[in-house]
Amino acid sequence: MYNPTQDFAEINRANVAQATKFAALSLDNAEKLMKFQLGTARNVFAQSVENANAVAGIKDVQELIELRSKLAEAQMQTAMGYSRNLYELASEVQAEYSALAEESFGVYSKGVAAFVDKASKSAPAGSDAAVNAFKSSLAATTAAFDQFQKATKQVASLADANVRAAAATATKVVKGAKKA
């Protein structure tokens, strides 16, 4: 007689391994984000000190006007750079989580498929229809997940292209305003 306990234990071990990978990935990405934010805070602080020194050195109204436009442009460039870098970091993180989700689903599907195959070999006579129905639903679920992953990748690619186009347009606008 077939004892499914070992197969369930194996599936659970695989799930724990995947959960551990997810936790490690989450910590790694939180660390990346914190480093990025801290670096940004340092840069903004340094710029603020430079700006304060520049304002303190103003001698007339004309210098004030020139400095004001120079600082506005620098702040816009800083904001755009921050947004672009944050977007790239988020895109990288999203790709890592997607890859982990695909891997996890693959490991889970293989484990369940192996369990069903073993269980079907020791199933009582006349249960072929139920076993085949379960296998069919497992195959349909796998196919649906694959389609979902493809659609998600297409949407992410389209969104990425749109964000990059918007960033390029904003950069051109800032450069155009600088020349004007």
Side-chain angles (χ1 to χ4, degrees):
M1 173 124 208
Y2 173 66
N3 183 358
T5 305
Q6 185 175 351
D7 290 330
F8 280 128
E10 189 60 37
I11 290 171
N12 285 335
R13 276 192 289 275
N15 286 340
V16 168
Q18 291 301 316
T20 302
K21 286 182 183 179
F22 179 79
L25 181 61
S26 295
L27 289 173
D28 289 345
N29 287 325
E31 184 178 0
K32 286 179 194 175
L33 181 61
M34 292 303 292
K35 284 181 180 179
F36 173 72
Q37 294 288 33
L38 185 59
T40 300
R42 284 186 177 134
N43 290 338
V44 167
F45 178 73
Q47 283 180 341
S48 296
V49 169
E50 286 179 28
N51 294 346
N53 287 331
V55 168
I58 292 177
K59 296 181 178 94
D60 61 25
V61 176
Q62 183 61 33
E63 280 185 48
L64 177 63
I65 293 170
E66 290 173 8
L67 181 63
R68 184 177 143 219
S69 80
K70 179 182 171 188
L71 293 179
E73 179 187 339
Q75 288 173 346
M76 182 60 86
Q77 292 288 352
T78 299
M80 287 175 48
Y82 173 81
S83 297
R84 184 174 34 257
N85 291 336
L86 184 61
Y87 175 76
E88 288 174 5
L89 180 61
S91 294
E92 177 185 315
V93 167
Q94 185 269 337
E96 290 172 353
Y97 281 120
S98 292
L100 182 59
E102 285 181 40
E103 178 187 333
S104 296
F105 187 75
V107 167
Y108 178 76
S109 294
K110 287 177 185 175
V112 170
F115 167 73
V116 170
D117 284 342
K118 288 179 184 178
S120 67
K121 291 176 184 172
S122 63
S127 62
D128 292 343
V131 169
N132 288 336
F134 190 80
K135 285 181 178 180
S136 177
S137 71
L138 182 62
T141 301
T142 301
F145 183 79
D146 289 343
Q147 287 299 322
F148 176 74
Q149 282 298 112
K150 288 178 186 174
T152 301
K153 287 179 182 178
Q154 288 175 344
V155 168
S157 177
L158 181 62
D160 182 59
N162 287 338
V163 167
R164 290 185 189 281
T169 300
T171 301
K172 288 178 185 175
V173 167
V174 169
K175 288 181 180 177
K178 177 181 173 183
K179 291 178 183 177

